[in-house]
């Protein structure tokens, strides 16, 4: 688990992280962050006093490929290599590079909208299945769609930090 190194980087924005490792002081030790995922990135920290500083400007991070990466933070002293921490980080795409018409919704929001669209169009269709020229089509049962909608509604609520109220209602009290 990453404790000192960030677990999220936004491409196009500066990256600044300071690693304190008293047992691996700079300049005797160098620290490298090895990132592997959609791309292979090796970031080197500059030794400043007894700490190691990662500093990448926005122009450098703009080229980072978005996605989930495995990270190994390693200290090196000649031939000796020690792992300081390991974990995962996510590189978020640079919004400045998004094209016109960019859809900012999260996956759960897009899926919920699609499920609701299917439910809405289903109101005018009463066949569950039919066959034409030997080809058949079966629709997802409405009960399954409603269950999927409930699942994705919950996920979208959690994305936005909205929790369900106790018993589904608000109780007002005046004193």
């Amino acid at each position: 688990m990453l404790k000192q190194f960030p677990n999220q980087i936004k491409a196009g924005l500066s990256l600044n992280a300071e690693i304190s490792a008293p047992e691996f002081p700079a300049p005797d030790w160098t620290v490298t962050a090895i990132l592997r995922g959609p791309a292979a990135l090796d970031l080197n920290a500059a030794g400043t006093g007894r700490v190691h500083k990662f500093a990448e400007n926005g122009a450098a991070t703009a080229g980072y490929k978005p996605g989930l990466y495995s990270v190994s933070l390693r200290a090196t002293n000649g031939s000796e290599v020690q792992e300081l921490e390991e974990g995962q980080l996510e590189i978020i795409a640079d919004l400045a590079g998004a094209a016109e018409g960019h859809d900012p919704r999260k996956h759960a929001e897009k899926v919920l909208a699609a499920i609701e669209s299917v439910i809405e169009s289903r109101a005018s269709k009463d066949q569950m299945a039919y066959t034409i020229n030997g080809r058949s089509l079966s629709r997802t049962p409405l009960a399954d769609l409603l269950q999927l909608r409930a699942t994705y509604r919950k996920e979208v609520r959690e994305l936005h930090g909205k929790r369900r109220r106790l018993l589904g209602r608000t109780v007002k009290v005046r004193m």
Side-chain angles (χ1 to χ4, degrees):
M1 185 165 148
L2 298 173
K3 294 178 183 173
Q4 295 188 69
F5 198 76
N7 49 17
Q8 188 178 78
I9 296 172
K10 287 190 177 182
L13 299 180
S14 297
L15 164 66
N16 292 297
E18 191 172 286
I19 308 301
S20 175
E23 61 277 16
F24 306 106
D28 299 331
W29 290 81
T30 59
V31 174
T32 303
I34 300 168
L35 286 70
R36 296 297 184 266
L41 300 169
D42 293 339
L43 308 177
N44 296 311
T48 307
R50 298 183 67 77
V51 298
H52 304 274
K53 292 184 180 182
F54 288 94
E56 299 286 329
N57 63 31
T61 66
Y64 291 3
K65 288 186 180 178
L68 191 61
Y69 288 76
S70 293
V71 179
S72 176
L73 200 60
R74 297 179 181 184
T76 307
N77 179 359
S79 61
E80 189 174 349
V81 180
Q82 297 291 325
E83 187 170 63
L84 304 178
E85 55 183 52
E86 58 88 24
Q88 289 187 328
L89 77 77
E90 181 182 17
I91 295 180
I92 307 295
D94 186 1
L95 185 60
E100 185 176 328
H102 166 71
D103 187 351
R105 296 179 297 170
K106 301 283 188 204
H107 168 75
E109 294 169 319
K110 292 176 186 177
V111 172
L112 177 60
I115 292 167
E116 289 179 338
S117 176
V118 169
I119 291 171
E120 191 174 310
S121 68
R122 186 66 64 81
S124 63
K125 297 175 183 166
D126 58 352
Q127 308 97 336
M128 278 301 296
Y130 58 90
T131 303
I132 300 174
N133 294 334
R135 291 184 172 210
S136 62
L137 173 70
S138 297
R139 299 185 192 284
T140 304
L142 188 56
D144 291 353
L145 287 171
L146 293 174
Q147 186 175 6
L148 274 172
R149 181 176 68 173
T151 300
Y152 276 94
R153 275 184 172 172
K154 179 182 176 190
E155 191 172 331
V156 168
R157 261 195 317 271
E158 289 172 1
L159 273 175
H160 296 289
K162 296 177 184 171
R163 301 284 182 238
R164 199 161 181 193
R165 293 177 287 192
L166 183 63
L167 303 175
R169 63 182 181 185
T170 302
V171 177
K172 295 181 181 180
V173 177
R174 185 184 306 181
M175 307 197 106

